[in-house]
């Protein structure tokens, strides 16, 4: 309990569009302990980024808004906090890095200026001191010759370098929580591996908790201790990484796992999950995965399955998993 | 950059030549004998002939054109048969007034236009934004001379607050400035709004917010510097509008500038002055456009290559 850093309870973030209101995040609950790395996975559009933005208080409003739930960070409910108080936590105690390193830095300012900003605003540091700390931060994320690089403009850096700068920027104030929204998706494979290594080393040296958003279960296997699977705005399964690869409970998780190539198994064809992600404006009745589920039964259409405990550190939202139909084989 | 400027200058030569020919012909196609008009009602036949000879109007058109070009090559725009002063002197005497009017108008249009555009973009679809955009839509489509007349009716005739015409005090400058600034102001405000809105949707703005910067810093430091380049272009492009609008405004408010000189000269069939002013304005227009292009290339290059 003393290790608990973040508790999200029944978080609901809705978007108001011309076609109607839709729940991008629809009653999501999870927690993060200090210094722990948790993977958040799911198909495109399932609400991973919106969950992340909700934690930071960065959901674009309009059209989006947190309409319910609470986000307890170090015992304080962020949802109830006034905007200005929330801002003081952003980039300070909770930081975020994004998928697009090429466009996430401001093209008209030097790397140094952008790195120094959090220190100057949150810590009130004077320029020379902030600069020294910024150089230190660049060194920490493995940028060579940081004393020179600090005066570069973003376009003078490669994509991988920029993502390192983004990470350095997120870490300057030594946050307790780093939200990384697909930090490696836009990078090529070797650079991806380097950035993941960097994130792992941050976890060990700084003890920063990381919420790692990705649609790549391979990335999760390498970096995270626990994994949360989202589908259509809801959490469908949560488990320690070891367990999820060994015995996924939810048919959706099983589908996700079956669709990644494995070295230890010779398969002729990779399987995919049939069908498409449902339109959030018209979610199907009952379980949201039911139309695509190979095992859907009458109850799945009739009633939405709740997210319930399913063993140590595990939760699953599936009627069939509970009855032991899915799971270990 | 030097090559680029040289190329632009070369390309402007045919444009200016076209303007010269057009003006030369147009002035001569206007009905009425200019010598008679200029000499006045009580003039004798000898006086009329003298003016005709002075303007070479007794010679065939190609010869007239040759003489005109010959003088022009020497930088001589001729003399006004009305005032007997050199055309360049006439232009010089009015230029200051036009520059003052255009400067104050551009300043007003830029300051207010950029400010309203930024406020609108920061809170899009707010009451302020909707009102500002409605007003600017009206402003963009406002005929300048009609607006000027309405200003005079309201502020000078009805309320008696401001002088309707002439120069003298800074109060005289108020109505012409506002009138001339209206269209550029509306354009600048609309364009600023869309430029800033576009920048506000960029990823680096989200990064700036994620850092926990106060919103005013996000806008003033991170958004505006990026929106600045397209805004400068828009402001520059309004210079052309301003030159044209100045002719109308100066006439409505009897402001003794180049536009007024040009219209007066047209009415008096003062060929040399008409030719001189039109040519002068055309040259200004061409050079301002080159200047804006160069400025834009320069600013853009700084962002991309600096
Ligand atoms: N600014 C926005 N306006 C309207 N709808 C939005 C906005 N941002 C996200 N959404 C919607 O919310 C839903 C969840 O989007 P989100 O970006 O969280 O998905 P994601 O899981 O991060 O997907 P991806 O893997 O593609 O990043 C989607 O249906 C998306 O269209
Ligand atoms: Mg996303």
């Amino acid at each position: 309990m003393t290790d608990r850093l973040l508790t999200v309870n029944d978080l609901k973030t809705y978007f108001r569009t011309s076609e109607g209101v839709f729940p991008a995040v629809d009653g999501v609950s999870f927690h993060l302990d200090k210094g722990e790395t948790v993977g958040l996975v799911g198909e495109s559009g399932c609400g991973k980024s919106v969950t992340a933005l909700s934690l930071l208080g960065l959901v674009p409003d309009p059209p989006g808004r947190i309409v319910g739930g609470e986000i307890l960070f170090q015992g304080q409910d962020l949802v109830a906090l006034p905007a200005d108080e929330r801002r003081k936590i952003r980039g300070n105690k909770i930081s975020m890095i994004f998928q697009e390193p090429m466009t996430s830095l401001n093209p008209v300012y030097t790397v140094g200026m952008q790195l120094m900003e959090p220190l100057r605003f949150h810590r009130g540091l004077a320029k020379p001191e902030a600069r020294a700390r910024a150089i230190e931060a660049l060194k920490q994320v493995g940028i060579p010759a940081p004393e020179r690089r600090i005066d570069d403009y973003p376009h003078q850096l490669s994509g991988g370098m920029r993502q390192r700068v983004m990470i350095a920027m997120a870490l300057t104030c030594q946050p307790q929580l780093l939200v990384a929204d697909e930090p490696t998706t836009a990078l090529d494979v070797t650079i991806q591996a380097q950035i993941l290594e960097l994130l792992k080393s941050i976890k060990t040296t700084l003890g920063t908790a990381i919420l790692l958003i990705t649609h790549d279960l391979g990335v999760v296997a390498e970096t995270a201790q626990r994994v949360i699977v989202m589908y259509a705005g809801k959490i469908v399964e949560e488990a320690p990484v070891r367990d999820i690869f060994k015995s996924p409970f939810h048919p959706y998780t099983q589908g996700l796992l079956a669709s990644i190539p494995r070295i230890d198994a010779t398969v002729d064809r990779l399987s995919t999950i049939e069908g498409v992600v449902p339109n959030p404006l018209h979610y199907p009745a009952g379980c949201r995965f039911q139309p695509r589920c190979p095992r859907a039964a009458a109850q799945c259409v009739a009633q939405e399955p709740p997210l319930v405990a399913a063993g140590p550190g595990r939760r699953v939202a599936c009627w069939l998993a509970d009855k032991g139909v899915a799971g270990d084989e | 950059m030097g090559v680029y400027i040289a190329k632009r200058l070369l390309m402007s030569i045919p444009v200016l030549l076209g303007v010269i020919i057009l003006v030369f012909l147009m002035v001569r196609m206007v009905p009425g004998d200019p010598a008679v008009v200029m000499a006045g009602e009580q003039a004798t036949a000898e006086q009329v002939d003298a003016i005709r000879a002075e303007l070479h109007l007794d010679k065939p058109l190609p010869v007239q054109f040759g003489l005109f070009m010959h003088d022009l090559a020497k930088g001589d725009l001729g003399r006004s048969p009305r005032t007997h002063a050199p055309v360049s002197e006439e232009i010089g005497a009015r230029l200051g007034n036009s520059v003052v009017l255009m400067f104050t108008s551009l300043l007003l249009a830029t300051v207010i236009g950029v400010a309203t555009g930024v406020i609108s973009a920061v809170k899009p679809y707010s009451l302020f934004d909707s009102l500002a955009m409605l007003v600017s839509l009206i402003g963009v489509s406002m005929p300048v001379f009609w607006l000027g007349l309405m200003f005079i009716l309201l502020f000078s005739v009805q309320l008696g607050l401001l002088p309707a015409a002439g120069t003298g005090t800074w109060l005289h400058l108020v109505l012409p400035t506002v009138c001339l600034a209206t269209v550029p102001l509306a354009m600048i405000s609309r364009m600023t709004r869309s430029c800033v809105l576009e920048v506000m949707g960029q990823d680096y703005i989200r990064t700036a917010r994620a850092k926990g910067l106060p919103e005013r810093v996000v806008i003033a430091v991170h958004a505006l510097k990026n929106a600045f380049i397209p805004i400068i272009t828009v402001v520059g492009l309004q210079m052309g509008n301003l030159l044209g609008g100045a002719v109308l405004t100066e006439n409505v408010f009897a402001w003794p500038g180049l536009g007024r000189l040009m219209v007066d000269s047209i009415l008096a069939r003062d060929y040399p002055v008409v030719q001189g002013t039109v040519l002068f304005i055309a040259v200004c227009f061409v050079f301002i456009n080159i200047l804006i292009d160069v400025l834009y290339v320069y600013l853009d290059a700084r962002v991309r290559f600096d």
Side-chain angles (χ1 to χ4, degrees):
Chain A
M1 193 58 209
T2 46
D3 281 352
R4 193 54 49 90
L5 179 68
L6 176 84
T7 311
V8 176
N9 282 326
D10 200 27
L11 177 70
K12 288 181 172 153
T13 306
Y14 288 11
F15 281 91
R16 204 175 291 273
T17 65
S18 49
E19 290 122 82
V21 178
F22 72 85
V25 173
D26 200 10
V28 159
S29 305
F30 63 93
H31 71 89
L32 233 85
D33 287 339
K34 284 185 186 138
E36 155 183 65
T37 301
V38 173
L40 181 60
V41 299
E43 274 169 298
S44 192
C46 69
K48 304 183 298 287
S49 294
V50 174
T51 304
L53 293 173
S54 302
L55 296 183
L56 275 277
L58 283 177
V59 178
D61 177 14
R65 177 165 286 183
I66 296 178
V67 296
E70 50 181 14
I71 299 169
L72 297 172
F73 177 74
Q74 298 180 324
Q76 195 175 28
D77 183 11
L78 301 183
V79 176
L81 228 48
D84 207 44
E85 293 300 312
R86 260 196 117 164
R87 179 179 66 68
K88 286 179 185 156
I89 292 174
R90 269 206 295 277
N92 186 7
K93 293 178 175 166
I94 306 179
S95 288
M96 184 161 176
I97 54 176
F98 302 94
Q99 182 178 344
E100 305 85 5
M102 300 313 278
T103 51
S104 288
L105 288 165
N106 196 329
V108 300
Y109 293 110
T110 61
V111 163
M113 180 277 184
Q114 300 183 60
L115 268 170
M116 280 149 67
E117 269 182 331
L119 291 166
R120 304 192 63 198
F121 278 90
H122 293 304
R123 296 280 186 270
L125 293 191
K127 243 184 188 165
E129 204 178 339
R131 191 180 160 88
R133 290 270 291 270
I135 291 175
E136 199 54 45
L138 284 179
K139 201 177 291 169
Q140 200 168 36
V141 297
I143 289 196
E147 303 83 2
R148 268 191 302 118
R149 284 306 191 179
I150 195 167
D151 294 317
D152 278 358
Y153 285 85
H155 66 85
Q156 292 168 295
L157 305 176
S158 67
M161 292 274 244
R162 286 190 218 183
Q163 196 61 295
R164 283 174 194 268
V165 169
M166 287 297 291
I167 294 171
M169 197 151 55
L171 295 178
T172 44
C173 290
Q174 283 141 345
Q176 278 86 350
L177 173 61
L178 175 67
V179 180
D181 190 354
E182 308 202 27
T184 59
T185 308
L187 304 171
D188 52 30
V189 188
T190 48
I191 311 291
Q192 274 189 23
Q194 290 172 12
I195 297 289
L196 289 178
E197 269 320 302
L198 175 61
L199 287 178
K200 274 201 267 186
S201 80
I202 284 161
K203 190 201 142 228
T204 43
T205 55
L206 301 178
T208 311
I210 301 175
L211 181 64
L212 180 65
I213 297 175
T214 173
H215 49 242
D216 184 349
L217 277 166
V219 168
V220 169
E222 261 176 69
T223 11
Q225 285 87 63
R226 283 192 300 130
V227 59
I228 296 169
V229 182
M230 273 185 86
Y231 184 79
K234 288 191 176 265
I235 293 178
V236 292
E237 181 159 11
E238 178 189 328
V241 165
R242 209 174 278 277
D243 295 346
I244 209 134
F245 281 96
K246 217 166 60 197
S247 58
F249 284 163
H250 200 284
Y252 177 62
T253 318
Q254 292 164 2
L256 280 184
L257 284 167
S259 64
I260 53 171
R262 296 181 66 140
I263 292 175
D264 56 350
T266 36
V267 213
D268 293 337
R269 272 184 64 196
L270 284 175
S271 63
T272 52
I273 304 174
E274 296 288 323
V276 292
V277 182
N279 180 344
L281 281 165
H282 311 285
Y283 278 134
C287 172
R288 286 175 186 175
F289 185 59
Q290 150 272 117
R292 300 172 71 189
C293 183
R295 285 199 276 258
Q299 191 183 13
C300 303
V301 185
Q303 248 182 316
E304 190 160 9
L307 185 65
V308 292
R314 299 195 66 163
R315 291 188 298 165
V316 66
C318 179
W319 295 119
L320 305 167
D322 258 358
K323 292 174 187 131
V325 176
D328 282 78
E329 267 119 341
Chain B
M1 189 60 105
V3 177
Y4 176 75
I5 297 174
K7 224 157 85 182
R8 288 300 311 264
L9 285 173
L10 271 176
M11 265 157 55
S12 66
I13 291 175
V15 175
L16 290 177
L17 211 63
V19 169
I20 291 169
I21 295 172
L22 218 64
V23 172
F24 178 84
L25 288 179
M26 254 172 12
V27 171
R28 279 156 184 83
M29 279 189 307
V30 176
D33 186 337
V36 175
V37 178
M38 249 180 267
E41 294 192 359
Q42 273 102 44
T44 62
E46 290 84 63
Q47 283 173 312
V48 173
D49 282 343
I51 290 179
R52 191 166 289 142
E54 185 191 335
L55 295 178
H56 309 301
L57 290 175
D58 46 357
K59 301 187 178 71
L61 262 189
V63 178
Q64 286 185 36
F65 187 70
L67 287 169
F68 173 58
M69 287 304 284
H70 179 253
D71 286 346
L72 196 61
K74 292 190 296 185
D76 183 5
L77 288 170
R79 269 172 191 277
S80 162
R82 267 198 308 165
T83 60
H84 303 292
V87 172
S88 50
E89 234 168 66
E90 294 272 352
I91 291 176
R94 310 297 214 291
L95 184 61
N97 284 330
S98 285
V99 169
V100 165
L101 179 59
M102 297 210 305
F103 178 76
T104 53
S105 300
L106 191 64
L107 194 69
L108 181 74
T110 307
V111 171
I112 310 273
V114 169
T116 52
V118 169
I119 297 172
S120 284
V122 168
K123 283 215 160 41
Y125 311 109
S126 63
L127 185 65
F128 177 89
D129 179 34
S130 311
L131 268 176
M133 286 311 110
L134 181 71
V135 171
S136 65
L137 187 65
I138 298 171
V140 171
S141 37
M142 191 66 79
V144 175
F145 57 91
W146 183 84
L147 188 71
L149 292 176
M150 290 303 120
F151 277 175
I152 292 177
L153 256 183
L154 182 63
F155 294 104
S156 306
V157 180
Q158 297 276 331
L159 300 173
L161 286 175
L162 292 163
T167 50
T169 66
W170 68 268
L171 280 176
H172 284 91
L173 195 56
V174 175
L175 285 185
T177 296
V178 175
C179 179
L180 182 55
T182 299
V183 173
L185 193 159
M187 297 269 225
I188 289 172
S189 147
R190 295 182 76 82
M191 292 305 291
T192 301
R193 176 183 186 270
S194 67
C195 291
V196 174
L197 261 185
E198 198 194 312
V199 169
M200 292 301 281
Q202 298 292 317
D203 289 338
Y204 53 78
I205 296 298
R206 187 184 55 188
T207 304
R209 289 193 174 124
K211 280 195 269 190
L213 302 179
E215 193 64 13
R216 70 186 150 75
V217 175
V218 173
I219 293 162
V221 177
H222 286 270
L224 286 192
K225 192 164 176 190
N226 281 284
F228 195 56
I229 292 153
I231 290 174
I232 284 199
T233 322
V234 171
V235 170
L237 289 175
Q238 292 312 308
M239 300 287 282
N241 251 334
L242 224 52
L243 278 172
V247 175
L248 297 168
T249 310
E250 286 180 5
N251 280 285
V252 171
F253 294 98
W255 184 263
L258 281 184
R260 175 116 182 126
L261 175 67
M262 188 168 83
V263 173
D264 281 351
S265 309
I266 291 171
L267 294 177
R269 303 291 189 279
D270 191 338
Y271 289 2
V273 177
V274 175
Q275 285 166 172
T277 45
V278 171
L279 199 59
F280 183 79
I281 291 175
V283 169
C284 288
F285 190 82
V286 166
F287 275 101
I288 288 170
N289 273 309
I290 293 177
L291 203 72
I292 293 161
D293 285 354
V294 168
L295 191 70
Y296 185 71
V297 169
Y298 169 73
L299 281 173
D300 209 30
R302 203 184 54 177
V303 170
R304 274 182 293 145
F305 308 116
D306 183 42

